[in-house]
Amino acid sequence: MTVTVLYPEERQIPDLALEQEIFGPEVRLIRGTKPNFAQLDRAECAAADGLMIMRWALTAADLDRFPRLRCVVRMGVGYDKLDRRALAERNILVCNVPDYGTTEVADHAMALALTLRRGILLHHELQRRDPPAPWRSFHHPMIRRLGMQTFGIVGLGRIGTAVALRAKAFSFRVVFYDPYLPNGVELALGVDRAASLEEMLRQTDTLSIHAPLTPETRDLLGHAELGLLRPGAVVVNDARGPILDLDALLAHMKSGHIAAAGLDVLPVEPPVEPVPELLRLYRAREPWLEGRLVITPHAAWLTPESEADTRRKSAETMRAALLTNRTQNVITPEMY
């Protein structure tokens, strides 16, 4: 019996040559050309044993179009857009690709942190004024010797670990909070561990977020939590937007308690009106935000190499699920 895998999203990938090579002749691949599930060809949906998801959300109503579906592979790390409960009720296997862009996302987090902590963005903005700012250095709360600071990390998974090693290389003292890791991880990495989020935040000068979006982490960092950071803190988020309260971040930046922030993710992507007030002020070039905020459009993961890894590893994961007894990267129902 032919096994069919559907790539439903428009512009998801340029072609299926790499994927077909990995799947082999046992698998028929279908490449979608529609903008949403509702417009997909019903016959193609009905034939699909596997479904590759990159950007789309997958709801219980969408699943009604896939009577044969056995596996969904999320072509990335996060799986918060998949209706996990509905998939579990249908006994549909859910897998992700946790290792396609680890180095890129870690590099991006450090790039954001260093761009702010060394005042690079601030100097860039001031030197292109008309007339430009005076040709001199100056004191600013965000600019401090890195080795005198504590770099706090929320979530020490693959990416968080990669960030910890990079931060250590730049002489930061590194402390992390992750209640799901076994004892001793901190000893293996040569970093410090906080017993609670609050304990970590109180000693953090530069905060980098690397947790998945789950019911537990949604709104994890609000006004009270951000207020625990050391004065003049820098906040970086290239994990998931809803983990960080942007209104709280705005309030603390306006008061000066938080010196700067670098965001690769927002609560709603792409942003729609009414956009968060912080984003509106950023786009309006509000003078007090100058050089203190940098936003990138969920771009941390992307290089040609990571894009190729995403395609290859996704295909390998789906093939293992449909054609072998050696499944990999399985997201179990209790993993929220």
Side-chain angles (χ1 to χ4, degrees):
M1 182 174 64
T2 301
V3 174
T4 300
V5 174
L6 174 62
Y7 287 75
E9 301 175 42
E10 278 188 308
R11 298 181 294 277
Q12 187 171 10
I13 49 178
D15 60 72
L16 293 173
L18 171 63
E19 288 74 12
Q20 193 65 71
E21 181 179 349
I22 293 169
F23 279 110
E26 306 99 318
V27 179
R28 177 170 70 111
L29 302 183
I30 302 174
R31 184 166 173 239
T33 58
K34 302 298 182 182
N36 54 55
F37 277 116
Q39 296 183 39
L40 289 178
D41 182 274
R42 286 192 171 274
E44 292 178 348
C45 294
D49 300 279
L51 185 62
M52 294 289 201
I53 297 294
M54 182 171 282
R55 299 179 183 87
W56 288 5
L58 181 62
T59 69
D62 297 324
L63 289 177
D64 292 339
R65 302 170 67 87
F66 298 94
R68 284 181 48 171
L69 194 61
R70 295 160 47 199
C71 179
V72 173
V73 169
R74 161 72 175 100
M75 298 177 68
V77 180
Y79 42 85
D80 45 278
K81 289 187 177 182
L82 307 181
D83 189 331
R84 301 271 312 292
R85 187 180 302 277
L87 287 160
E89 289 173 353
R90 291 265 304 268
N91 293 316
I92 298 171
L93 192 66
V94 178
C95 305
N96 71 343
V97 182
D99 56 343
Y100 72 96
T102 300
T103 56
E104 284 83 0
V105 179
D107 290 345
H108 199 88
M110 289 305 302
L112 291 173
L114 294 173
T115 294
L116 295 167
R117 271 295 175 206
R118 292 300 307 138
I120 293 170
L121 180 66
L122 181 61
H123 287 300
H124 168 75
E125 294 292 350
L126 293 177
Q127 288 303 316
R128 67 174 185 170
R129 282 182 178 176
D130 185 17
W135 189 257
R136 61 174 176 81
S137 57
F138 53 84
H139 292 287
H140 191 279
M142 80 172 81
I143 305 173
R144 290 181 52 214
R145 178 176 291 176
L146 304 183
M148 301 298 293
Q149 299 179 54
T150 294
F151 195 105
I153 299 175
V154 180
L156 205 75
R158 295 171 182 85
I159 296 170
T161 298
V163 171
L165 295 175
R166 285 156 171 75
K168 281 184 62 181
F170 279 98
S171 300
F172 285 101
R173 170 183 173 256
V174 177
V175 60
F176 76 92
Y177 170 68
D178 192 324
Y180 295 101
L181 292 183
N183 294 341
V185 171
E186 65 277 16
L187 302 178
L189 294 175
V191 299
D192 293 328
R193 183 173 195 164
S196 68
L197 177 64
E198 292 75 17
E199 179 188 328
M200 187 206 71
L201 293 172
R202 286 192 178 95
Q203 53 189 306
T204 293
D205 301 284
T206 298
L207 176 68
S208 196
I209 302 166
H210 298 287
L213 180 60
T214 68
E216 182 181 0
T217 63
R218 183 178 291 273
D219 300 320
L220 181 69
L221 295 163
H223 194 276
E225 290 76 20
L226 294 177
L228 297 175
L229 292 167
R230 286 177 173 172
V234 165
V235 175
V236 170
N237 187 12
D238 65 1
R240 285 293 183 267
I243 297 174
L244 175 65
D245 185 333
L246 290 193
D247 289 335
L249 178 63
L250 168 60
H252 283 294
M253 290 186 71
K254 199 159 192 177
S255 73
H257 180 70
I258 291 177
L263 307 175
D264 185 57
V265 290
L266 297 174
V268 176
E269 297 178 354
V272 296
E273 295 292 344
V275 300
E277 181 66 5
L278 182 62
L279 178 59
R280 187 189 70 78
L281 296 173
Y282 172 78
R283 289 175 170 175
R285 297 179 178 269
E286 189 75 11
W288 66 268
L289 267 179
E290 188 174 48
R292 297 177 58 195
L293 178 63
V294 56
I295 296 177
T296 54
H298 206 136
W301 70 279
L302 185 60
T303 62
E305 294 79 9
S306 68
E307 191 171 40
D309 280 350
T310 302
R311 295 176 60 185
R312 177 173 53 81
K313 292 173 182 290
S314 296
E316 291 170 347
T317 299
M318 181 65 82
R319 190 181 192 284
L322 296 180
L323 299 180
T324 78
N325 293 320
R326 299 184 300 276
T327 56
Q328 57 191 29
N329 307 324
V330 176
I331 306 300
T332 60
E334 65 270 12
M335 291 170 61
Y336 284 103

